Amino acid sequence: MRFTYCPHCGTKLVLKEIGDEGLIPFCEQCSIPLWDSFTTCIICAVTNEKREVALLRQGYVSTAGYVCVAGVMKPGEAAEEAAVREVGEELGLSVVKLTYIKSYPYDKKEMLMLGYHAEVKKEEFRLSGEVDAAEWVPFEGALEKLREGSIAWQLVKTVISG
């Protein structure tokens, strides 16, 4: 989110030099800088003991391709808690082991995606209403089902590469 007006008092912001940060939107009324902000989200490559990855179809994300489990962190929630919660909500599975992989800036939607490898026992999916379909895909065929270069593709590539 890029601020033009102060969210506290409504005053139009000015640009002010803030230390090493450069010109930052600043509210002269409240005397506070308002850095551009982003939504923090998690994304998980969910795998099982049979070397398969869970790939989802969600019409509101993409009508053409597959995606990984992802979601927005709630206020006061740790990233790890969000990852476990989202795997449970979207697929109905319990995470056995969770490993942080890396962060992925997603400028198009002003998000920071925190990437995880979520290991689960292979079970039938119990999908939430926001997931149209999901399937277990062998590691060898997973990348071709994802949009090359996408955050999901990068994450799955890292996980299946070991």
Side-chain angles (χ1 to χ4, degrees), residues 55-67:
L55 297 181
L56 292 65
R57 285 198 181 268
Q58 292 177 294
Y60 74 94
V61 176
S62 170
T63 55
Y66 287 85
V67 295

Side-chain angles (χ1 to χ4, degrees), residues 3-19:
F3 292 102
T4 304
Y5 293 90
C6 178
H8 305 287
C9 72
T11 300
K12 185 158 177 62
L13 303 175
V14 299
L15 292 178
K16 182 175 179 180
E17 188 80 30
I18 306 286

Side-chain angles (χ1 to χ4, degrees), residues 2-77:
R2 304 194 190 295
F3 292 102
T4 304
Y5 293 90
C6 178
H8 305 287
C9 72
T11 300
K12 185 158 177 62
L13 303 175
V14 299
L15 292 178
K16 182 175 179 180
E17 188 80 30
I18 306 286
D20 294 338
E21 302 299 323
L23 293 173
I24 300 297
F26 187 84
C27 178
E28 294 179 316
Q29 182 72 29
C30 297
S31 295
I32 58 170
L34 292 154
W35 281 271
D36 294 336
S37 62
F38 50 84
T39 302
T40 307
C41 304
I42 61 85
I43 183 168
C44 294
V46 179
T47 66
N48 65 35
E49 69 280 7
K50 299 193 182 296
R51 297 181 45 83
E52 297 171 316
V53 61
L55 297 181
L56 292 65
R57 285 198 181 268
Q58 292 177 294
Y60 74 94
V61 176
S62 170
T63 55
Y66 287 85
V67 295
C68 289
V69 168
V72 176
M73 289 175 54
K74 295 179 178 181
E77 185 176 47

Side-chain angles (χ1 to χ4, degrees), residues 63-132:
T63 55
Y66 287 85
V67 295
C68 289
V69 168
V72 176
M73 289 175 54
K74 295 179 178 181
E77 185 176 47
E80 295 79 8
E81 294 168 335
V84 169
R85 175 181 54 77
E86 287 290 344
V87 171
E89 286 176 2
E90 292 187 4
L91 297 176
L93 302 176
S94 297
V95 175
V96 175
K97 182 179 178 186
L98 187 69
T99 306
Y100 175 74
I101 303 297
K102 70 176 272 190
S103 62
Y104 303 87
Y106 188 20
D107 294 334
K108 180 179 172 184
K109 293 193 176 182
E110 296 182 344
M111 294 177 168
L112 177 64
M113 308 289 292
L114 303 177
Y116 287 90
H117 177 197
E119 297 176 55
V120 301
K121 297 279 187 209
K122 184 173 182 175
E123 295 179 27
E124 291 295 317
F125 299 120
R126 293 177 309 281
L127 304 179
S128 77
E130 69 180 73
V131 178
D132 300 324

